[in-house]
């Protein structure tokens, strides 16, 4: 489906339940919050299925839209969810019930009855931003989560998958007057000249690496090798190249460099 067709679809239906993926990042949560806000502004009933893995960094964008498992829905929409393996535990029942899937991953598995997939986009937020404009719903309540969807998902616009359009997208959410500086400071805090303690580095790497890999439908983890470098260790499967690119960008931004060690 095109974005215009998605807009027509959303106008024609109601009682929306929105799904996010496991280990949710800014893209899936930002898109879900923005879509839910759009739909409510249009007079629709809409909610986001609670995702227990949401971190405190993103909770404020979605907490007002959470609904329980017994929410009275008619239309199920997934955002930034590419694979059946990435459905949260409480969303397992919806694997064959997704009415509309909106995604940007080339690896999207086609589980939606209708799909709007644009793999040329660096973030799913790019699609939702165009949708908000198509629906005439780009208010501050929609714009802030959209900015959060695109900015962290692209390493604050430094990832290798960033395109010219990716840079154009944030201009639209800025027009309603959102505090994008506060959002960037929260998700990309200034780094100290002194390296953080090894344990904090390990936790930060694993958190960000896991979120990046989730977007590519793979499982992997990052480990600090002593306290001077980072070693990427896959769990039984090769790591998708897109995931590695995102991780490298994040690690370089966090620590100013990356030491890669191969195992042969």
């Amino acid at each position: 489906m095109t974005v215009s067709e998605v807009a027509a679809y959303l106008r024609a239906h109601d009682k929306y339940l929105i799904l996010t993926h496991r280990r949710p990042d800014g893209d899936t949560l930002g898109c879900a919050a923005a879509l839910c806000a759009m739909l409510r502004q249009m007079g629709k009933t809409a909610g986001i299925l609670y995702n227990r893995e949401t971190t405190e960094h993103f909770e404020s964008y979605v907490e007002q839209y959470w609904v329980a498992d017994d929410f009275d829905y008619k239309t199920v929409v997934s955002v930034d969810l590419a694979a059946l393996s990435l459905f949260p535990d409480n969303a397992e029942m919806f694997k064959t019930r997704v009415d509309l899937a909106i995604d940007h991953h080339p690896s999207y598995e086609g589980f939606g009855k209708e799909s709007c997939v644009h793999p040329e986009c660096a973030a799913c937020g790019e699609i939702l931003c165009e949708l908000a404009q198509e629906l005439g719903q780009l208010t501050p309540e929609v714009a802030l989560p959209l900015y959060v969807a695109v900015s962290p998902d692209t390493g604050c616009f430094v990832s290798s998958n960033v395109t010219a359009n990716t840079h154009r997208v944030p201009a639209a959410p800025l027009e309603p007057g959102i505090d994008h500086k506060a959002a960037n400071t929260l998700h990309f805090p200034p780094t100290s000249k002194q390296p953080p303690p090894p344990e904090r580095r390990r936790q930060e790497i694993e958190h960000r690496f896991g979120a990046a890999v989730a977007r590519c439908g793979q499982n992997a983890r990052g480990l600090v090798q002593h306290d001077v470098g980072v070693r990427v260790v896959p769990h039984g499967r090769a790591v998708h190249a897109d995931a590695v690119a995102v991780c490298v960008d994040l690690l370089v931004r966090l620590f100013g460099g990356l030491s890669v060690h191969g195992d042969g």
Side-chain angles (χ1 to χ4, degrees):
M1 298 177 76
T2 65
V3 170
S4 295
E5 290 171 335
V6 171
Y9 181 96
L10 296 178
R11 293 188 184 103
H13 295 76
D14 202 353
K15 291 190 175 181
Y16 291 94
L17 179 64
I18 303 168
L19 308 180
T20 56
H21 62 63
R22 287 181 183 271
R23 300 180 296 277
D25 56 6
D27 200 13
T28 192
L29 294 171
C31 286
L35 179 58
C36 195
M38 285 185 236
L39 292 169
R40 291 186 180 184
Q41 288 171 182
M42 294 165 60
K44 307 288 187 180
T45 299
I48 304 171
L49 184 66
Y50 178 68
N51 191 324
R52 65 180 178 80
E53 293 185 293
T54 301
T55 64
E56 61 181 10
H57 279 80
F58 299 110
E59 183 74 32
S60 64
Y61 303 111
V62 292
E63 59 186 352
Q64 62 183 309
Y65 303 119
W66 289 137
V67 294
D69 296 0
D70 59 354
F71 177 71
D72 183 20
Y73 69 92
K74 286 187 177 179
T75 311
V76 179
V77 181
S78 65
V79 289
D80 195 44
L81 208 170
L84 292 174
S85 62
L86 292 176
F87 277 64
D89 291 341
N90 63 336
E92 290 280 334
M93 68 183 75
F94 299 111
K95 286 184 174 181
T96 60
R97 301 183 190 178
V98 175
D99 297 293
L100 171 63
I102 303 174
D103 193 26
H104 72 115
H105 296 101
S107 57
Y108 167 66
E109 295 180 351
F111 48 77
K113 296 175 184 175
E114 300 287 349
S115 302
C116 178
V117 181
H118 290 269
E120 73 278 6
C121 294
C124 194
E126 293 185 46
I127 306 171
L128 269 292
C129 186
E130 185 179 345
L131 179 61
Q133 293 172 305
E134 180 75 22
L135 292 169
Q137 298 296 330
L138 194 58
T139 62
E141 292 74 22
V142 173
L144 180 57
L146 277 182
Y147 186 86
V148 170
V150 178
S151 180
D153 207 50
T154 59
C156 202
F157 308 99
V158 300
S159 298
S160 58
N161 59 349
V162 169
T163 66
N165 187 65
T166 312
H167 283 283
R168 283 191 290 267
V169 166
L174 292 182
E175 290 179 0
I178 64 170
D179 190 354
H180 67 286
K181 293 181 180 179
N184 280 333
T185 300
L186 173 63
H187 300 293
F188 298 96
T191 57
S192 170
K193 291 183 179 180
Q194 295 296 322
E199 176 62 18
R200 201 175 83 200
R201 291 178 69 188
R202 183 190 65 77
Q203 293 174 348
E204 185 72 8
I205 292 166
E206 288 192 345
H207 171 72
R208 297 198 178 208
F209 186 75
V213 173
R215 294 196 294 274
C216 299
Q218 303 290 332
N219 290 320
R221 60 191 171 95
L223 296 175
V224 171
Q225 188 174 35
H226 305 297
D227 64 347
V228 295
V230 177
R231 184 182 182 192
V232 175
V233 183
H235 279 309
R237 290 185 290 179
V239 179
H240 194 289
D242 289 346
V244 174
V246 172
C247 294
V248 169
D249 286 329
L250 288 172
L251 294 169
V252 170
R253 184 171 183 82
L254 280 169
F255 308 114
L258 179 66
S259 176
V260 179
H261 304 270
D263 289 328

